[in-house]
Amino acid sequence: MFIVTAKEMYDMDRLAMQEFGLEGKLLMENAGRAVAFKVMEQTSRNEQIGILAGAGNNGGDGFVIARTLLDHGYQVEVLQVVANEKITGDAYDHKVIYEKCGGKVTLYSGKSIQMLKEADVLIDAMIGIGMNGEVREPFATLISLINEQEAYVISVDIPSGVPADEGEDSINAVQADYTVIIGAPKQSAFLPNTASFYGEWDVVSIGLPTFMFHRLTNKTVWQLDNVEKTLPKRELFDHKGNHGKGLIIGGCKEMPGALSMSVQAALKSGAGLITGASSSPVIQMIAGNSVEAMYIPLMDTDGYLNNHSEVSFAIYDAAAIGMGIGRKKITQDFVAHVMKTATCPIIIDGDGLYHLSHLLPDLNARAYSTVITPHPGEMAMLLGVTIREVLQKPFQYAKDFAQTYSVYVVLKGRYTIITAPDGVQRLNPTGNAGLSKGGSGDVLTGIMLAMVMQKQSLLDALCNACFIHGMSADLLVQDQHSEHDLLASDVINGITRVYRAILSSG
């Protein structure tokens, strides 16, 4: 599934018409009928359906929806919310066809709002993806009226008032119960301040060739079928060396559990051999939790790792650092030492990201791949911006950082965005609020380390790790846990169910 900006969607429509001869009227017909059939799944013929049609493609879709529903025996009224002269082009043609088929169009006025109050279902086809800036009249009033009604609200492509792209802050928009997205989801379907306006949503195809999406966007949603296609299978004669030797460096006297959870998650996710590295007291506290792992003691000062330890990376296929190591200056020196000497891919998480904020120039000097795993607060710290700014434009900030420093960025959130150094972006849809607990990030880092060492591209590995992490939480809250009581250690145990589900369906 692709993710698009408004411009990318407009460019696809334009190319479809100019280069492939797909007429705009046909695309509008396809869109409207596809939405109408989704509407039929959500409604019944004894319900009164009111359709609010604006100008442009969104309004044109509304007329096609109305005609299709009318043809299938539904009770339909269309309220045209713009002046007649604004209904032009393909939208005008479909309005005429609807009227010739016996459909009635009422022009919006103060007296016509009774339709909103009497409808069981309201279909919002007013504005579409062209929304920019503040909502003007009459849409501002209509949005308020729609949101006041008890009717079930279905938006066409995007709730009116919601921008397609990231970057907007204050939103006045239709609160949809259900949105039928046309062609591909827009960025705003995944942003904290706009996603909730969509309600539940589905995507319908209008006949645009798939290769056009590949041509015009590099943003996709990573789904189960992607995992099934890319997750490496175990072979009959495999041995532990085939599945990677990983090193996990972390833990301090106050936070020994962070290292323990990463080690357990890496082992559970399929790593061949895992070594945990920390101070001797930390190792003594956690070694019994993962008897399958090996451990090496590192030099510490008052319980915090320092840069006097010699770590040989030659025998490791990948390493992770930062989970629970603390924020002391001596630890920053150790992180800098690891970044300069590690001869393998490294994942930097947790307190390692705090230290990274002082070591950004060292990223470009690395000859091996680097993965960072910030949440929005850590991303804001690395960028020198506010958390609010990161939440408004997560796609752009992640992409800029990845390209500037030649790293992989895993920007964690309800929808985690994975960005490669070349700007390719993938979004993970799995996971729930139960992951909003201490230790969840440590578990994800362990899964990532295991995935990075398997036979798959680094980008695929990171996407699969995020999917598995979130899917474990999703499966657990279905029948064993709630989002309140779910713990990071539960997520580790749930990895078994994820693998069984994926491998049995592949």
Side-chain angles (χ1 to χ4, degrees):
M1 183 190 300
F2 296 89
I3 304 169
V4 296
T5 63
K7 182 181 183 304
E8 289 166 345
M9 198 69 234
Y10 283 132
D11 286 344
M12 287 178 200
D13 286 343
R14 177 179 53 80
L15 287 175
M17 289 184 281
Q18 293 180 357
E19 294 191 18
F20 304 104
L22 291 172
E23 294 184 358
K25 191 184 297 186
L26 174 62
L27 293 175
M28 190 171 288
E29 176 76 13
N30 290 349
R33 290 182 66 81
V35 173
F37 289 124
K38 286 292 183 181
V39 171
M40 292 179 200
E41 294 175 6
Q42 302 289 322
T43 60
S44 63
R45 287 183 176 83
N46 61 0
E47 291 180 302
Q48 181 63 45
I49 299 176
I51 300 177
L52 293 89
N57 289 345
N58 207 238
D61 295 339
F63 291 119
V64 177
I65 294 166
R67 170 166 51 85
T68 306
L69 293 176
L70 190 67
D71 188 52
H72 282 78
Y74 285 76
Q75 304 174 58
V76 180
E77 280 190 68
V78 174
L79 181 63
Q80 183 180 306
V81 300
V82 296
N84 283 324
E85 58 268 23
K86 292 192 175 182
I87 306 293
T88 60
D90 298 326
Y92 174 79
D93 291 339
H94 280 295
K95 176 186 175 181
V96 171
I97 296 170
Y98 168 65
E99 290 177 320
K100 287 183 177 180
C101 290
K104 180 183 176 183
V105 177
T106 301
L107 195 61
Y108 168 69
S109 68
K111 297 179 180 179
S112 59
I113 63 172
Q114 188 64 27
M115 183 267 275
L116 300 179
K117 299 178 180 180
E118 296 175 351
D120 300 300
V121 179
L122 290 173
I123 297 179
D124 158 35
M126 295 192 297
I127 299 180
I129 63 174
M131 173 67 203
N132 283 304
E134 188 175 342
V135 176
R136 297 186 293 272
E137 292 295 351
F139 301 109
T141 297
L142 285 163
I143 287 170
S144 296
L145 288 170
I146 292 170
N147 290 342
E148 290 171 2
Q149 308 309 311
E150 295 182 0
Y152 185 75
V153 178
I154 300 175
S155 285
V156 179
D157 197 25
I158 189 169
S160 289
V162 173
D165 303 337
E166 59 183 358
E168 296 292 334
D169 187 11
S170 179
I171 307 296
N172 175 28
V174 169
Q175 178 58 66
D177 295 295
Y178 177 63
T179 300
V180 186
I181 297 173
I182 296 171
K186 318 315 182 271
Q187 286 181 322
S188 57
F190 306 105
L191 303 179
N193 64 330
T194 50
S196 61
F197 287 100
Y198 282 79
E200 296 183 5
W201 54 265
D202 283 313
V203 180
V204 293
S205 171
I206 60 173
L208 296 173
T210 301
F211 69 84
M212 285 177 54
F213 286 92
H214 285 288
R215 179 174 166 184
L216 292 172
T217 183
N218 61 3
K219 300 178 293 298
T220 56
V221 178
W222 195 250
Q223 298 177 287
L224 180 59
D225 62 331
N226 301 116
V227 181
E228 292 170 347
K229 291 175 184 176
T230 59
L231 189 67
K233 304 296 189 295
R234 298 284 165 131
E235 302 296 335
L236 180 62
F237 294 102
D238 277 355
H239 55 82
K240 59 182 178 288
N242 294 126
H243 302 293
K245 298 178 181 179
L247 176 67
I248 302 179
I249 307 169
C252 66
K253 60 182 182 180
E254 288 93 354
M255 296 178 284
L259 175 61
S260 178
M261 285 185 285
S262 291
V263 168
Q264 292 178 66
L267 289 167
K268 198 75 168 179
S269 301
L273 289 167
I274 289 293
T275 298
S278 191
S279 64
S280 293
V282 168
I283 292 174
Q284 290 172 10
M285 282 188 280
I286 71 170
N289 297 333
S290 301
V291 296
E292 299 89 351
M294 298 179 290
Y295 295 92
I296 56 173
L298 301 176
M299 299 291 292
D300 71 283
T301 302
D302 193 26
Y304 293 88
L305 299 179
N306 61 44
N307 65 344
H308 297 299
S309 292
E310 287 297 327
V311 180
S312 174
F313 291 91
I315 63 171
Y316 298 110
D317 299 301
I321 184 171
M323 298 67 66
I325 62 172
R327 299 187 174 187
K328 300 290 186 180
K329 178 63 169 66
I330 53 171
T331 308
Q332 178 181 312
D333 296 338
F334 176 68
V335 172
H337 173 71
V338 169
M339 289 175 61
K340 291 176 181 177
T341 59
T343 54
C344 62
I346 59 171
I347 302 169
I348 304 176
D349 184 36
D351 290 330
L353 295 170
Y354 171 81
H355 297 306
L356 182 63
S357 64
H358 306 285
L359 304 169
L360 292 179
D362 295 343
L363 285 173
N364 290 110
R366 278 187 45 78
Y368 298 86
S369 297
T370 304
V371 180
I372 67 168
T373 61
H375 56 58
E378 292 163 336
M379 192 80 245
M381 173 191 64
L382 292 172
L383 291 163
V385 300
T386 65
I387 297 175
R388 181 177 178 179
E389 289 174 300
V390 171
L391 293 175
Q392 286 176 357
K393 300 172 65 175
F395 287 94
Q396 190 61 54
Y397 279 122
K399 183 177 180 180
D400 288 346
F401 194 95
Q403 292 182 318
T404 298
Y405 295 103
S406 299
V407 299
Y408 290 83
V409 176
V410 179
L411 180 53
K412 296 181 287 193
R414 169 59 189 91
Y415 295 107
T416 294
I417 301 171
I418 304 99
T419 309
D422 61 1
V424 171
Q425 293 186 301
R426 294 174 179 170
L427 181 139
N428 176 60
T430 62
N432 56 65
L435 292 172
S436 302
K437 297 276 184 71
S440 291
D442 305 317
V443 172
L444 176 58
T445 297
I447 301 172
M448 283 185 184
L449 183 66
M451 289 292 104
V452 165
M453 297 189 297
Q454 309 310 306
K455 295 177 182 178
Q456 56 191 319
S457 75
L458 183 50
L459 182 58
D460 288 353
L462 298 175
C463 294
N464 286 339
C466 292
F467 193 96
I468 290 168
H469 181 250
M471 185 175 177
S472 175
D474 290 339
L475 292 176
L476 288 168
V477 300
Q478 284 180 8
D479 51 24
Q480 289 181 264
H481 293 271
S482 71
E483 293 179 349
H484 295 276
D485 69 86
L486 187 69
L487 298 176
S489 53
D490 297 323
V491 176
I492 296 173
N493 294 327
I495 293 171
T496 299
R497 291 182 62 181
V498 175
Y499 277 129
R500 289 179 66 85
I502 292 173
L503 296 175
S504 63
S505 63

